């Protein structure tokens, strides 16, 4: 404590007899440089459930390898009054188990899942310091930099990937200072080695599967191409005899035996939907082929031509090469910047196997987005609304021969089995009965399905895309939707805005529909008159794009030709009054919270930091709530992102 007080007062070394370990002194100096609050009583606020779920999803391999190790260590540590915590390379705790008393005490200082224990936030501590130094660390009692953590003893060991040695996480044993034991560090180090061993076993199994899936492509490759197989981390595991010369011809400047990895070909662990590392300048995207097992991408193949053509030389596609499938997103007509960005986000997700949840009102085009997200294999769609429970179950899971009266002879496979190797699109998943949700959750977790009336498990591999117009968070609170299923299907959210919120898109879409239907029905392609467009823009479109399309097609069919005028539109559209303020009335808690957030953003002039402060919540919580309600700052303020006076860099 004397050394700590001396360091805080500006003295590098403490009083005589209080020499610090070099490890601790170096960490304290980093804390001072980072302006860490030495009087802090606990770690920062934990991440939201959504953010923590994404952290865990990105570390599924690490969590899977650690689960039995933590369970075994937990039995020992429970008797010692300590806990054991697993964190990722960002110092975020992913899981914590151990003595209940220690876990409860840990929550008081935020030593719990979802909290960032880096040195920059929590000062000197075993997790953050181990990550910076890359070595095993024990921090005892007053060696901690922050005052509120000095009553603890923490011992941590880094976990390294068994194939390339990269740090992938940290294992920490912590307890109140009275539980101190030199053996805690040994337990952390031994447990970390066990996790590394399990990671090695899992990696070797994955590599065998990858080699099996890619073997045929290796055999089929000609003598004029180099072939390199890379695993999910972008590490090469097999190459043919021509690979090195092909790399030389491509100007890669790589010695293949020394190549450790190509970061741009790693499948993770960057955030879902976020762009990964860029490909090297010498590597052309068309040289990369995905190696798949069903819908799961196992790794990549580099097919490198010998003597590749110059970058500017025109290259004609082989005559026998099949034309690429049309991109459904090319049919999206919009002048709205938010919708255009949404389309680009969806395109980036196309080749990712992660589940996607599409949110939006009825008729906004959720199925079009689902088809755009689909990349290969069969596309099976099922609307969970409007079907009886029994019919929905048989359509989804299939049934065995004789499962019920009237069942098809030989049984029937359901949409889940039919989507093998492709995509299953479940529209209006919020309408699915609660008891059926548990069966779907089991399919997603176990990757096997049982037909109705059958006891034979069938292995399935598919990508799930779900859609709903409901607020699933509210449905969870009301007990109508399972929280565990929500987090399984909503790894990534895409909120498709209503037509009335898409600036300028009503007239654009109406003109496009008019010209299309006029041509399809053999009438003059004359478009629409200005008065008709004005009426369309004044209408609120509760049915969104589907309703607009139907209105335009109906007007075209009933017209005698020429451009469409206001008089040709349905009465409810042509006589639509200008939108008026809604009459006051009872509102739900969800509506009230959403309105309060909008008001706070307006009052702060769009400054989200001030808005969060006025609401007495963390800024990360404000972001999560805005995401839940599909709200952007521009929506709340009622203008586009280009309006002057608001700095778009303000977070």
């Amino acid at each position: 404590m004397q050394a700590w007080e001396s360091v805080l007062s500006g003295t590098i070394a403490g009083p005589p007899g209080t020499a610090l370990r070099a490890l601790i002194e170096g960490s304290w100096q980093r804390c001072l440089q980072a302006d860490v609050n030495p009087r802090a009583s606990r770690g920062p606020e934990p991440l939201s459930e959504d953010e923590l779920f994404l952290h865990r999803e990105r570390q599924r391999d690490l969590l899977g390898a650690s689960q039995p190790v933590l369970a075994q260590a937990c039995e020992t540590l429970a008797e010692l009054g300590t806990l054991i915590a697993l964190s990722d390379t960002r110092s975020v705790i992913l899981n914590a188990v151990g003595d209940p008393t220690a876990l409860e005490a840990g929550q008081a200082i935020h030593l719990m899942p979802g909290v960032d224990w880096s040195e920059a936030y929590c000062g000197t501590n075993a997790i953050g310091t181990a990550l910076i130094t890359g070595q095993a660390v024990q921090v005892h009692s007053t060696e901690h930099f922050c005052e509120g953590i000095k009553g603890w003893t923490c011992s941590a060991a880094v976990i390294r990937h068994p194939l390339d040695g990269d740090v992938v996480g940290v294992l920490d044993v912590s307890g109140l200072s009275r539980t101190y034991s030199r053996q805690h560090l040994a337990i952390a180090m031994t447990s970390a080695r066990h996790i590394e061993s399990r990671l090695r076993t899992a990696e070797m199994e994955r590599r065998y599967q990858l080699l099996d899936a890619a073997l045929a492509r290796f055999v089929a490759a000609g003598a004029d191409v180099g072939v390199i197989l890379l695993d999910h981390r972008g590490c090469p595991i097999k190459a043919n005899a021509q690979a090195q010369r092909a790399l030389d011809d491509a100007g890669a400047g790589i010695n293949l035996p020394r190549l450790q990895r190509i970061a741009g070909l790693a499948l993770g662990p960057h955030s879902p939907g976020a762009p990964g590392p860029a490909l090297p300048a010498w590597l052309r995207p068309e040289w990369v082929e995905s190696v798949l097992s069903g819908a799961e991408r196992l790794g990549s193949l580099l097919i490198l031509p010998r003597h590749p053509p110059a970058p500017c030389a025109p290259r004609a596609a082989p005559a026998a090469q099949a034309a690429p499938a049309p991109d459904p997103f090319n049919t999206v007509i919009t002048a709205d910047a938010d919708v255009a960005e949404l389309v680009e986000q969806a395109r980036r997700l196309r080749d990712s196997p992660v589940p996607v949840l599409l949110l939006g009102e009825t008729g906004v085009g959720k199925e079009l987005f689902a088809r755009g997200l689909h990349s290969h294999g069969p596309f099976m769609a099922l609307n969970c609304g409007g079907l009886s429970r029994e019919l929905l179950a048989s359509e989804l899971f299939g049934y065995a021969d004789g499962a019920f009266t009237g069942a098809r002879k030989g049984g029937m496979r359901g949409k889940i089995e039919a989507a093998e190797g492709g995509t299953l699109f479940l529209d209006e998943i919020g309408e699915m009965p609660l008891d059926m949700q548990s069966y779907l959750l089991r399919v997603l977790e176990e990757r096997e399905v049982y037909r109705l009336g059958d006891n034979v498990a069938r292995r399935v591999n598919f990508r799930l895309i779900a859609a709903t117009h409901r607020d699933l968070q509210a449905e969870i609170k009301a007990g109508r939707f399972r929280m565990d299923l929500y987090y399984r299907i909503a790894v990534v959210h895409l909120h498709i805005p209503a037509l009335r919120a898409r600036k300028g898109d009503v007239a654009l879409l109406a003109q496009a529909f008019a010209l299309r239907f006029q041509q399809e029905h053999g009438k003059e392609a004359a478009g629409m008159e200005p008065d008709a467009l004005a009426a369309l823009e004044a209408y609120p479109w509760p049915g969104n794009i589907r309703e607009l399309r139907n209105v335009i097609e109906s007007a075209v069919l009933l017209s005698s030709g020429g451009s469409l005028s206001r008089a040709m539109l349905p009465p409810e559209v042509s006589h639509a009054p200008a939108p008026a303020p809604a009459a006051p009335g009872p509102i739900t808690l969800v509506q009230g919270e959403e309105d309060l957030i909008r008001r706070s953003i307006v009052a702060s002039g769009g400054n989200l930091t001030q808005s969060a402060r006025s609401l007495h919540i963390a800024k990360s919580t404000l972001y999560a709530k805005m995401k839940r309600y599909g709200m952007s700052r521009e929506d709340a303020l009622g203008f586009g992102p280009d309006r002057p006076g608001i700095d778009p860099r303000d977070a």
Side-chain angles (χ1 to χ4, degrees):
M1 284 298 293
Q2 288 179 337
W4 178 67
E5 291 167 356
S6 297
V7 168
L8 295 188
S9 66
T11 305
I12 300 300
T18 60
L20 292 172
R21 290 191 289 152
L23 176 78
I24 301 301
E25 183 176 357
S27 176
W28 283 8
Q29 293 304 320
R30 289 193 297 271
C31 295
L32 291 172
Q33 293 171 5
D35 290 327
V36 178
N37 179 11
R39 305 296 179 185
S41 60
R42 60 185 183 182
E45 291 298 314
L47 301 175
S48 67
E49 290 183 354
D50 289 353
E51 292 170 318
L52 177 57
F53 179 80
L54 291 178
H55 271 268
R56 285 172 167 164
E57 279 296 299
R58 292 195 290 270
Q59 299 293 340
R60 279 183 292 178
D61 292 346
L62 178 61
L63 284 167
S66 67
Q67 186 173 3
V69 178
L70 292 185
Q72 184 177 3
C74 180
E75 298 177 3
T76 303
L77 296 174
E79 300 176 359
L80 302 177
T82 55
L83 61 86
I84 187 167
L86 176 73
S87 80
D88 62 15
T89 53
R90 301 179 184 180
S91 304
V92 174
I93 297 178
L94 304 174
N95 195 11
V97 297
D99 177 66
T101 303
L103 291 171
E104 183 178 356
Q107 289 184 351
I109 63 168
H110 286 179
L111 186 63
M112 57 192 287
V115 180
D116 183 344
W117 273 77
S118 61
E119 277 192 351
Y121 283 110
C122 299
T124 305
N125 72 91
I127 293 176
T129 305
L131 276 173
I132 287 181
T133 61
Q135 65 185 57
V137 170
Q138 187 169 56
V139 181
H140 177 51
S141 189
T142 52
E143 289 183 324
H144 288 90
F145 183 76
C146 293
E147 190 171 27
I149 311 172
K150 288 182 178 292
W152 284 73
T153 290
C154 308
S155 307
V158 294
I159 302 168
R160 295 186 180 275
H161 195 276
L163 300 183
D164 57 22
D166 286 353
V167 175
V168 295
V170 173
L171 201 65
D172 170 68
V173 176
S174 290
L176 293 172
S177 297
R178 64 174 179 270
T179 67
Y180 168 77
S181 170
R182 293 181 181 272
Q183 299 304 316
H184 290 174
L185 185 58
I187 293 173
M189 295 174 66
T190 302
S191 299
R193 300 297 83 80
H194 288 167
I195 293 174
E196 290 172 354
S197 177
R198 291 182 58 83
L199 283 173
R200 177 180 292 278
T201 301
E203 282 292 343
M204 296 311 297
E205 291 177 354
R206 181 179 289 176
R207 286 194 168 192
Y208 289 137
Q209 186 181 8
L210 176 59
L211 285 166
D212 286 342
L215 183 60
R217 189 67 178 89
F218 260 93
V219 174
D224 60 338
V225 295
V227 183
I228 304 174
L229 179 64
L230 302 106
D231 66 10
H232 67 112
R233 292 168 59 82
C235 301
I237 63 173
K238 184 177 177 62
N240 68 356
Q242 292 77 34
Q244 184 60 63
R245 289 188 178 181
L247 284 171
D248 295 341
D249 291 344
I254 289 175
N255 186 351
L256 189 55
R258 296 183 179 179
L259 176 61
Q260 292 189 339
R261 63 186 304 198
I262 299 177
L265 293 179
L267 309 187
H270 51 79
S271 304
L279 292 176
W282 60 268
L283 179 54
R284 298 182 182 178
E286 61 265 30
W287 294 347
V288 182
E289 294 183 7
S290 296
V291 180
L292 304 171
S293 175
E296 181 183 3
R297 183 177 173 188
L298 302 176
S300 306
L301 271 170
L302 283 186
I303 310 298
L304 303 168
R306 294 293 312 279
H307 309 296
C312 296
R315 288 176 291 155
Q321 184 176 354
D327 182 358
F329 288 127
N330 289 339
T331 65
V332 176
I333 300 172
T334 184
D336 187 88
D338 289 341
V339 177
E341 174 60 23
L342 188 68
V343 169
E344 289 307 309
Q345 291 175 358
R347 281 195 171 110
R348 291 195 291 268
L349 290 169
R350 180 177 289 153
D351 294 326
S352 171
V354 299
V356 177
L357 178 62
L358 301 174
L359 303 171
E361 298 177 3
T362 299
V364 295
K366 294 190 288 291
E367 182 164 350
L368 184 148
F369 268 78
R371 291 187 179 275
L373 287 163
H374 168 66
S375 61
H376 57 268
F379 179 89
M380 305 304 300
L382 179 63
N383 192 313
C384 301
L387 297 178
S388 67
R389 183 192 179 282
E390 293 74 18
L391 182 57
L392 177 59
S394 63
E395 284 288 318
L396 188 60
F397 302 107
Y399 54 80
D401 186 10
F404 51 85
T405 303
R408 181 186 303 173
K409 185 176 182 180
M412 184 190 78
R413 68 174 185 167
K415 290 291 194 295
I416 291 176
E417 285 184 72
E420 173 66 27
T423 301
L424 175 65
F425 173 51
L426 294 182
D427 198 5
E428 299 304 346
I429 195 170
E431 311 288 334
M432 181 178 287
L434 188 62
D435 59 338
M436 199 177 299
Q437 295 173 25
S438 62
Y439 293 111
L440 175 60
L441 178 64
R442 180 178 178 83
V443 171
L444 297 177
E445 290 180 340
E446 304 296 333
R447 287 293 173 179
E448 58 185 26
V449 63
Y450 289 86
R451 293 181 182 179
L452 301 180
D454 200 358
N455 58 3
V456 177
R458 291 173 166 82
R459 297 293 298 175
V460 289
N461 196 345
F462 60 91
R463 182 191 190 184
L464 178 66
I465 299 175
T468 183
H469 71 281
R470 292 178 177 266
D471 180 349
L472 293 187
Q473 295 279 5
E475 294 294 297
I476 291 171
K477 293 177 181 178
R480 292 188 292 267
F481 202 85
R482 294 179 62 106
M483 178 181 290
D484 45 6
L485 177 59
Y486 172 77
Y487 286 120
R488 174 64 69 172
I489 67 175
V491 175
V492 179
H493 302 75
L494 292 180
H495 190 280
I496 307 173
L499 179 58
R500 60 185 171 276
R502 295 170 55 171
K503 308 299 183 184
D505 278 2
V506 172
L508 197 64
L509 286 164
Q511 284 282 23
F513 284 142
L515 294 171
R516 167 185 159 189
F517 292 131
Q518 285 166 343
Q519 291 175 345
E520 287 182 0
H521 297 297
K523 299 189 178 185
E524 178 188 0
M528 305 194 67
E529 295 181 1
D531 64 335
L533 291 175
L536 294 173
E537 290 180 327
Y539 184 65
W541 299 109
N544 290 291
I545 298 175
R546 184 183 297 127
E547 182 185 9
L548 174 62
R549 182 186 61 205
N550 293 342
V551 165
I552 300 301
E553 186 170 21
S554 174
V556 169
L557 290 171
L558 295 175
S559 70
S560 57
S563 57
L564 300 180
S565 66
R566 186 187 190 112
M568 299 176 186
L569 301 176
E572 67 272 15
V573 177
S574 61
H575 297 99
I587 60 173
T588 66
L589 286 173
V590 170
Q591 292 169 332
E593 182 178 62
E594 181 179 3
D595 181 64
L596 183 61
I597 291 173
R598 290 184 184 276
R599 290 174 180 271
S600 71
I601 294 174
V602 171
S604 68
N607 188 310
L608 299 186
T609 301
Q610 293 182 10
S611 180
R613 189 178 297 121
S614 69
L615 293 169
H616 300 287
I617 59 177
K619 192 161 62 174
S620 60
T621 304
L622 175 61
Y623 284 146
K625 291 181 179 293
M626 291 174 65
K627 182 178 179 182
R628 179 185 306 166
Y629 299 126
M631 184 193 311
S632 69
R633 175 173 51 189
E634 289 73 28
D635 291 337
L637 293 170
F639 54 77
D642 296 327
R643 173 167 174 167
I646 299 296
D647 185 356
R649 296 168 297 179
D650 174 47

